[in-house]
Structure formats: C-alpha cells, structure tokens
Amino acid sequence: MTATILPTPADLSITPRDRRFGREAAAPRLWHGGRVEATAIYNALSTTFPAGEAFFVESVRAFRDGAPPKLAEEIKAFTTQEAIHSREHDAFNKRAARSGYDLSSLEAQVEKRLAVSRSRPPVVSLAATMALEHFTAILAHQLLANRRHLAGADSETADLWRWHAVEEIEHKGVAYDTWLHATRHWTRWKRWKVKAKVMLYVTRNFVVDRTSGSLELMRQDGITGIQAWTRLLWYLWIRPGMFRKIAGAWLKFFLPGFHPWNEDDRHLLGRYEATASGAQSQRKVRRAA
Ligand SMILES: [Fe+2]
Ligand SMILES: [Fe+2]
C-alpha cells in the first residue's frame, strides 16, 4: 500500500479554547430540565471522559513519531483540547458527586474497559480511539445541529457540552489520520477488517455501558424497573432520539473510502462562534502547547 491522500481540510484549524464551566454557581442535581433520564445519560457519558480522553491521547501519541508535520501539529492541538476536556468533565463529575450521585460503579466500569484495551497491542488501542472519536464526532454533530437535545438544560452546563462538541468536530480527523499513517503498509482489506471489528466491539460496549450506567443513576433518583427502561429508551431512541439520529453517520464508517472529513460540518462551528458562549471561547483561545 502506498501513501494515502488525507482528506482533512488543508485550512482546518484545531483551536484549544481554555474554558472553565460551573465554578461559580452550582447547577441543580437534575440539571437537564429536571428530567431524570436526560440528566442520567449525559452524566453517564461525562463519567467516561476524564479517563477515556486520557486514553485517547496516549493511544494517538504512541504513533506521533514520524508523522508528517501537519499531522504532528494536529496531534499537539488534539492533546491540548482533550486535556482541557478531561479537566472540565472531571470538575463536572465532582459537582454531580457533590449533588449526591455515586459515580463509583460507572467509573470502575470505564477503568475495566480501558484495562482490557491497554492489554492489547498499541495499534488496537489506536483503532479503538479512532472508532470512539468517530462516535464522539457524530454525537457532537447531532448535539449542535439539533437544539432539542439540550432544550431546557441549565445554560452553563449546556455551554460545557456545546464547547466540547465544537472541539470534537474540529479534531475528528486526528485519530483517523494517525491510524492511516500507522497502518500505511497494511493492505486496504486488513485495515478495513480491523477497523470494522473494533468499531463493532466498541459500539456494543458503548451502548451497553452507557445504558446500564444511566439506569444506575436513574435508580439513585428512585426510578427503576420497566419505568426506567421505558423512559431511557424513549429518550435515546425516539425523542429526542440521539442514538437513532446518529445511526446513519455511524454506518458510513464501514463504507470503503470513509474519512471523518468526507462530511465537512464546520458550519456548525460558525453557528456556535456566533453565540455568547462562542464569543467567550474566542477570547479564551490559546495556541496549542
Ligand atoms: Fe474531548
Ligand atoms: Fe476527541
């Protein structure tokens, strides 16, 4: 296999915005419009970020030696963005814990999954990161494209999620391009087979773990059994239906010729920059370390 053409836009800028959220006033425990299931799924997702994004960074940086200069720069900016995301979600998770949630079983599950990944060869960790970064990017796209997902949420907490989504879109090609670089001597078939297998594996774990994590947090709010399942599945799959809405974008990952930037969704970043929070982010931009 010869060198691959990387379709990441030449004029893409990956810009770490060093923002802090929720340090002044505490959001209510049920910060997502008082809704137990909505708060639970976002809290469950946030629980994965501090350790998960540290794992993404370590998996990508293991392959930075010999990367083309543009990709090496993007890896640096990606590292800075993910480090700040980890910090902000760690702070968010501590606030959730202070408001009475016990996140320990969710965090233990994340650590268990990461331990399995770390026991595999580094290129498999990179593949898992590349697959999960596609997942994060399509969730981010949907979150920014459809206001319904954060409707009714505490405004500063909604800002945290939008800020994170913007940066996930900006750096969505970094793990993928690192993967293309790391596997440049593989055949197309071998590359496709590994990435498809890894995507199916991480998707299964993602859906199972986030569902059980959300149910656990709903249990802590007194909602259990069939009522909990119905409310959660309705929220995830029907209305606003995040999982249903990202299904098409998820499937595209398996197409030959897939690349995260086959869909240039930077118009969503422009829309964010035009908001008050986006304007504040612009002032907090700092160059990648
Ligand atoms: Fe992130
Ligand atoms: Fe990311």
Side-chain angles (χ1 to χ4, degrees):
M1 198 61 211
T2 49
T4 310
I5 295 164
L6 306 180
T8 294
D11 61 343
L12 172 71
S13 93
I14 301 176
T15 312
R17 300 156 180 81
D18 191 2
R19 295 282 308 273
R20 284 171 194 271
F21 298 88
R23 302 299 203 281
E24 271 144 47
R29 173 180 165 114
L30 294 176
W31 60 268
H32 204 313
R35 293 183 68 174
V36 170
E37 65 278 20
T39 304
I41 184 64
Y42 284 90
N43 284 3
L45 198 54
S46 181
T47 308
T48 69
F49 287 138
E53 297 201 313
F55 169 79
F56 293 172
V57 165
E58 146 198 333
S59 306
V60 167
R61 285 170 69 91
F63 290 92
R64 75 191 148 155
D65 290 345
K70 179 171 181 284
L71 179 57
E73 276 305 308
E74 288 176 354
I75 291 173
K76 272 193 201 169
F78 160 79
T79 299
T80 307
Q81 285 189 332
E82 296 292 40
I84 302 173
H85 300 169
S86 285
R87 181 194 75 199
E88 287 311 298
H89 280 276
D90 185 50
F92 174 89
N93 297 345
K94 289 195 167 100
R95 291 194 295 277
R98 275 201 300 276
S99 73
Y101 289 114
D102 177 4
L103 304 175
S104 56
S105 65
L106 283 74
E107 285 165 350
Q109 181 64 10
V110 173
E111 289 301 339
K112 194 182 111 188
R113 296 287 188 206
L114 293 179
V116 173
S117 293
R118 286 192 173 104
S119 71
R120 311 278 295 141
V123 77
V124 178
S125 292
L126 178 63
T129 298
M130 171 268 285
L132 284 164
E133 280 283 281
H134 178 56
F135 229 111
T136 329
I138 61 180
L139 287 167
H141 176 106
Q142 183 52 225
L143 193 81
L144 293 173
N146 187 342
R147 290 176 196 279
R148 188 171 283 160
H149 295 295
L150 288 170
D154 167 71
S155 71
E156 185 150 352
T157 312
D159 273 351
L160 160 70
W161 287 94
R162 285 195 202 97
W163 158 84
H164 193 167
V166 160
E167 297 200 345
E168 287 305 319
I169 289 177
E170 275 184 348
H171 73 227
K172 69 178 179 172
V174 176
Y176 203 86
D177 289 343
T178 307
W179 155 260
L180 290 178
H181 178 70
T183 60
R184 64 196 177 282
H185 300 303
W186 291 18
T187 60
R188 285 172 72 94
W189 167 240
K190 181 178 176 188
R191 195 189 271 159
W192 186 86
K193 202 172 58 174
V194 172
K195 86 172 205 180
K197 257 163 91 171
V198 168
M199 183 51 128
L200 291 173
Y201 177 76
V202 302
T203 299
R204 183 247 170 224
N205 291 347
F206 182 90
V207 172
V208 169
D209 290 356
R210 296 305 80 73
T211 302
S212 65
S214 304
L215 289 170
E216 164 58 17
L217 296 179
M218 292 175 77
R219 187 192 63 76
Q220 295 180 24
D221 278 315
I223 311 286
T224 57
I226 190 80
Q227 203 203 355
W229 275 99
T230 312
R231 281 168 67 165
L232 183 64
L233 293 181
W234 181 271
Y235 187 80
L236 288 176
W237 293 95
I238 311 288
R239 197 176 173 93
M242 175 64 92
F243 283 4
R244 175 174 50 85
K245 287 183 171 140
I246 63 170
W250 179 84
L251 271 174
K252 285 187 184 157
F253 182 83
F254 297 93
L255 293 176
F258 167 81
H259 186 278
W261 282 109
N262 286 354
E263 175 163 12
D264 189 344
D265 47 2
R266 284 179 291 172
H267 62 283
L268 295 172
L269 312 188
R271 200 195 282 176
Y272 169 77
E273 306 294 5
T275 65
S277 177
Q280 206 176 336
S281 282
Q282 280 300 308
R283 292 196 293 277
K284 301 275 182 178
V285 162
R286 71 175 194 194
R287 285 193 58 76

